């Protein structure tokens, strides 16, 4: 394990901090791999959360439960592929044979060991390419308690929505007790000082009601279909895929 940690550390020093032109090809390969493997996915929900959460933790159990509920409605579930909340989410979907349990892993000097509950497993060299894949193919993001990486993913998602790089995607933050102080800060400092708008703040849906999350994500299918129609994109492959999913699951407007 120590040797692997040292080797990976040397790898990043060499590839990221040097002017090695071959790194460009490895970056492109990361993206091509993701686009090729994930481009045909049906409606998918990405679930984020801490890797240091064990199976006895209440948020591990909630992540597994919510994932199973989503998979039961026909949604694929995507995670970062590691332990903790990611493992719980993949585990919840893994028992549903008609959906994909997707893990997008990354080589790290520590912590990131792939979990065994994935049906589709991709490995990435770079955080930024992996992050693109985690958000690009999802109709909703669910954020469970976690550390720096999870917070980074939360604010990345909110920034993409704020700048309209993605549309129709809902962000749910699970763990009222855990995240309430953070939302208080955002409301009383960031919003009050007009660093964000009221609409930006309302993009964060803080809740512990798992059924509400499932119902809202299902409703978002119809919302996205309507948005694509109103935007003149009704004949796109993505719109057709959403319509087929909606018809198959008997989702009504």
């Amino acid at each position: 394990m120590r040797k692997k940690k040292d080797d990976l550390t040397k790898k990043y020093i060499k590839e990221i901090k040097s002017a090695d032109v071959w790194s460009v090809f490895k970056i492109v390969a990361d993206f091509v791999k993701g686009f090729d493997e994930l481009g045909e996915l049906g409606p998918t929900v990405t679930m984020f959360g801490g890797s240091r959460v064990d199976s006895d933790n209440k948020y591990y159990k909630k992540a597994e439960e919510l994932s199973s509920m989503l998979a039961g409605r026909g949604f694929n579930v995507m995670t970062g592929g590691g332990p903790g909340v990611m493992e719980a989410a993949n585990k919840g979907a893994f028992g549903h044979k008609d959906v994909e349990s997707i893990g997008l892993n990354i080589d790290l000097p520590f912590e990131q060991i792939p979990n065994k509950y994935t049906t589709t497993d991709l490995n990435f060299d770079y955080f930024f390419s992996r992050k693109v894949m985690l958000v690009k193919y999802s109709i909703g993001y669910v954020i469970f308690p976690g550390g720096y990486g999870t917070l980074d993913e939360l604010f990345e998602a909110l920034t993409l929505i704020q700048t309209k790089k993605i549309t129709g995607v809902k962000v749910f933050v699970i763990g009222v007790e855990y995240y309430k102080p953070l939302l208080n800060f955002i409301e009383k400092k960031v919003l009050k000082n007009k660093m964000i708008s009221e609409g930006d703040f309302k993009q964060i849906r803080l809740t512990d009601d798992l059924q509400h999350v499932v119902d809202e994500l299902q409703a978002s299918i119809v919302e996205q279909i309507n948005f694509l129609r109103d935007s003149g994109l009704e004949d796109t492959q993505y719109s057709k895929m959403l319509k087929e999913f909606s018809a198959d699951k008997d989702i009504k407007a």
Side-chain angles (χ1 to χ4, degrees):
M1 181 62 73
R2 177 60 182 271
K3 183 179 185 303
K4 181 178 180 182
K5 177 178 179 180
D6 292 342
D7 289 345
L8 284 170
T9 301
K10 291 176 183 177
K11 171 184 173 182
Y12 288 123
I13 291 173
K14 178 182 178 182
E15 293 185 1
I16 302 298
K17 294 190 176 181
S18 74
D20 185 356
V21 69
W22 288 102
S23 295
V24 175
F25 294 102
K26 295 192 74 174
I27 292 168
V28 172
D30 254 6
F31 282 109
V32 170
K33 173 173 55 183
F35 295 150
D36 185 54
E37 292 290 335
L38 303 175
E40 301 298 321
L41 282 177
T44 301
V45 177
T46 299
M47 296 175 63
F48 300 99
S51 62
R52 304 184 186 188
V53 172
D54 62 38
S55 59
D56 292 327
N57 186 282
K58 66 179 180 180
Y59 292 118
Y60 183 106
K61 295 175 182 177
K62 281 182 174 290
E64 183 179 352
E65 180 183 359
L66 176 59
S67 177
S68 181
M69 293 167 69
L70 289 167
R73 297 280 187 98
F75 292 101
N76 303 311
V77 173
M78 185 185 298
T79 79
V85 167
M86 294 174 282
E87 176 186 289
N90 284 133
K91 185 178 180 181
F94 191 72
H96 297 260
K97 301 305 180 184
D98 56 340
V99 302
E100 294 291 333
S101 176
I102 306 145
L104 307 187
N105 217 293
I106 189 165
D107 280 329
L108 290 177
F110 54 88
E111 287 188 3
Q112 192 73 352
I113 301 171
N115 71 66
K116 61 183 180 181
Y117 299 107
T118 59
T119 58
T120 298
D121 185 22
L122 300 180
N123 203 63
F124 290 83
D125 282 306
Y126 300 101
F127 266 114
F128 51 83
S129 52
R130 172 179 177 252
K131 188 188 296 183
V132 169
M133 300 305 151
L134 284 167
V135 300
K136 179 177 176 59
Y137 294 107
S138 293
I139 66 159
Y141 313 132
V142 182
I143 318 292
F144 278 84
Y148 286 153
T150 302
L151 293 172
D152 174 55
E153 287 151 344
L154 167 62
F155 287 111
E156 173 81 5
L158 292 171
T159 301
L160 289 171
I161 293 170
Q162 180 193 51
T163 55
K164 302 189 185 306
K165 296 300 183 181
I166 54 176
T167 57
V169 178
K170 295 182 178 180
V171 179
F172 298 92
V173 176
I174 306 295
V176 173
E177 179 185 11
Y178 188 89
Y179 278 114
K180 187 63 176 175
L182 175 62
L183 265 68
N184 285 340
F185 167 77
I186 295 173
E187 182 177 23
K188 295 177 181 178
K189 294 296 182 180
V190 185
L191 176 60
K192 187 175 181 180
N193 283 280
K194 299 182 180 179
M195 301 297 180
I196 61 173
S197 69
E198 184 73 28
D200 295 331
F201 180 67
K202 288 182 177 178
Q203 293 293 339
I204 309 172
R205 297 166 173 84
L206 179 63
T207 183
D208 285 322
D209 186 343
L210 303 186
Q211 187 61 56
H212 172 71
V213 175
V214 175
D215 292 341
E216 283 288 300
L217 284 169
Q218 182 166 293
S220 73
I221 295 289
V222 174
E223 293 171 13
Q224 289 207 34
I225 290 172
N226 292 338
F227 173 80
L228 291 168
R229 181 199 61 211
D230 295 342
S231 302
L233 301 171
E234 189 173 11
D235 292 329
T236 61
Q237 185 61 37
Y238 183 62
S239 178
K240 292 176 182 177
M241 178 188 67
L242 292 180
K243 289 178 182 177
E244 289 175 5
F245 180 86
S246 179
D248 183 58
K249 303 303 177 184
D250 196 29
I251 299 173
K252 298 292 195 301

